[in-house]
Amino acid sequence: MTQQLLLVTGGAGFIGSTVVRHFLAATEREVINVDKLTYAGNPESLEDLASHPRYEFVHADICQRGVMTQIFTRYQPGAVLHLAAESHVDRSIDNPAAFIDTNVTGTYILLEAALDYWRKLDKSAQARFRFHHISTDEVFGSLGATGLFREDSPYQPNSPYAASKAASDHLVRAWHHTYGLPVLITNCSNNYGPRQFPEKLIPLMVLNGMEGKSLPVYGAGDNVRDWLYVEDHVRALETVLDKGQPGETYNIGGYNEKTNVEVVELICQFLDELLPQSPHRPHRSLITFVADRPGHDQRYAIDAGKIACELDWRPRETFETGLRKTVQWYLDNRNWCRRVQDGSYCRERLGTKGQAHA
């Protein structure tokens, strides 16, 4: 086992590509990126790292047990950061089967491959090994006007996506308590930042706004999310990987609760400022309110006190500073945005199949 070698699943995705970049820049670790390259996996996000001496990309599906076993045997990782997942709520409404396959079955297969590998290590290597599973606050369901999600909050997933991630969390916990696999689980709030696939709220609004297209906001726009800048999240993942206690769960939040309409209005403000010659100013005039999606949770908010007190992690970015950087990145990288939309998604609305049951 190579203690410095990190196996990242889903490393071509939004958070995953930020993880790969961070660990290559901030540590001496070797990084093996295993990604199936679905619609959200974009190799262009890591194109400039292709020749990096401590980086290797492996095109593979975590649902293929034999392939996963071969990868563990060949690379002998010291740790796994498991990010590979179907992650968009609206897509889970239209096609829940893909979420069960990747998030539940894929996690099970990866756990089995990791367990077989771990059991063959010597005692010292077993003690150092970590399987770090990255999850979401959506497993906890919806909050009322007050309160925060804690690590011991009950699981109450309300969408196929959230249910599939809740199932994967339970599997990871079970493989620790039943088989002794040294695992870590983190549940994060909504991420935003550069290189996020354009179907997510913030990049969708930025791209539509710069082109003068409608900015569709669900319902009354009063659903609340806690926003976490992706680079803050990745620093937290490194902190948990290095300092976290096996078997423990850590919530990661940005302390940035905003309603959806507040988020979109601030994006419009930054677009007005950064595109002073735009014919679409004021961009706020592009906001429209559309029928809410089925099962739309009202509010998420994370209590990140445990990771702050026990591991000394706190976010560096406010929502305003992180969002300004994000909007500027999309303005500066319009070619990336065009190329990542390969025809499978053209910013149309997703997640309406369950509308009759809302």
Side-chain angles (χ1 to χ4, degrees):
M1 181 183 82
T2 303
Q3 179 65 15
Q4 288 289 90
L5 194 145
L6 180 64
L7 177 63
V8 178
T9 70
F14 164 48
I15 301 174
S17 63
T18 310
V19 165
V20 170
R21 289 181 171 279
H22 174 83
F23 276 91
L24 290 176
T27 78
E28 296 302 314
R29 289 182 182 268
E30 298 175 64
V31 178
I32 306 300
N33 172 15
V34 176
D35 200 296
K36 184 181 177 181
L37 296 182
T38 62
Y39 71 94
N42 180 18
E44 186 174 348
S45 296
L46 296 167
E47 190 174 42
D48 57 316
L49 299 177
S51 60
H52 194 289
R54 291 187 284 112
Y55 173 69
E56 185 172 342
F57 172 73
V58 180
H59 187 193
D61 183 351
I62 62 169
C63 292
Q64 296 178 314
R65 173 62 188 276
V67 174
M68 291 302 105
T69 297
Q70 291 172 5
I71 288 172
F72 275 95
T73 300
R74 176 180 177 184
Y75 293 104
Q76 300 281 303
V80 176
L81 273 181
H82 176 36
L83 295 109
E86 291 280 350
S87 64
H88 191 57
V89 174
D90 288 354
R91 282 183 183 263
S92 80
I93 296 169
D94 290 345
N95 182 23
F99 288 71
I100 303 304
D101 289 344
T102 299
N103 299 355
V104 183
T105 303
T107 298
Y108 159 70
I109 289 172
L110 192 65
L111 282 166
E112 284 286 85
L115 181 63
D116 285 351
Y117 164 73
W118 176 75
R119 281 173 165 168
K120 296 171 185 174
L121 298 174
D122 62 40
K123 294 296 184 183
S124 176
Q126 284 186 346
R128 296 194 304 270
F129 181 80
R130 297 289 184 270
F131 184 103
H132 184 169
H133 174 65
I134 289 81
S135 190
T136 172
D137 59 358
E138 296 192 39
V139 300
F140 300 122
S142 183
L143 287 167
T146 60
L148 300 170
F149 293 135
R150 295 167 44 91
E151 286 80 1
D152 57 1
S153 294
Y155 275 40
Q156 295 180 326
N158 291 322
S159 70
Y161 162 61
S164 69
K165 288 300 289 185
S168 66
D169 289 8
H170 293 323
L171 289 173
V172 173
R173 185 172 291 107
W175 259 243
H176 172 70
H177 287 284
T178 302
Y179 305 113
L181 187 69
V183 308
L184 300 157
I185 299 174
T186 49
N187 296 87
C188 68
S189 56
N190 276 36
N191 277 227
Y192 70 100
R195 301 181 184 86
Q196 188 171 27
F197 192 71
E199 71 187 7
K200 298 288 188 169
L201 175 66
I202 288 176
L204 175 63
M205 296 299 155
V206 174
L207 296 179
N208 278 11
M210 72 171 70
E211 296 172 11
K213 296 180 179 179
S214 173
L215 306 180
V217 177
Y218 288 152
D222 58 357
N223 300 80
V224 176
R225 300 294 181 261
D226 172 21
W227 292 94
L228 175 65
Y229 190 60
V230 66
E231 292 181 11
D232 277 334
H233 183 199
V234 171
R235 288 193 306 103
L237 297 181
E238 181 188 12
T239 300
V240 171
L241 188 63
D242 290 344
K243 300 179 182 179
Q245 292 299 309
E248 290 293 316
T249 296
Y250 300 90
N251 282 352
I252 305 171
Y255 295 106
N256 291 311
E257 286 189 57
K258 302 288 181 183
T259 66
N260 286 346
V261 73
E262 285 177 324
V263 171
V264 177
E265 287 175 344
L266 188 55
I267 290 171
C268 291
Q269 178 182 319
F270 285 141
L271 287 174
D272 288 350
E273 174 188 338
L274 298 171
L275 296 174
Q277 305 304 318
S278 171
H280 312 302
R281 298 172 74 245
H283 290 85
R284 184 173 179 175
S285 65
L286 301 172
I287 295 174
T288 60
F289 293 90
V290 300
D292 209 350
R293 72 181 179 206
H296 196 180
D297 289 336
Q298 180 60 34
R299 175 174 170 261
Y300 305 143
I302 283 280
D303 180 349
K306 179 177 177 179
I307 191 174
C309 293
E310 296 185 11
L311 306 184
D312 195 28
W313 173 89
R314 292 167 182 81
R316 294 175 181 172
E317 299 289 345
T318 66
F319 185 64
E320 288 72 16
T321 61
L323 187 62
R324 175 186 287 275
K325 291 179 180 180
T326 301
V327 173
Q328 186 67 65
W329 189 90
Y330 283 103
L331 294 178
D332 292 342
N333 291 273
R334 301 186 198 192
N335 288 336
W336 180 94
C337 298
R338 281 192 291 268
R339 288 191 292 268
V340 75
Q341 296 173 82
D342 62 359
S344 63
Y345 173 70
C346 298
R347 285 181 258 158
E348 73 274 17
R349 182 171 180 186
L350 303 170
T352 59
K353 285 189 176 180
Q355 199 70 49
H357 305 290

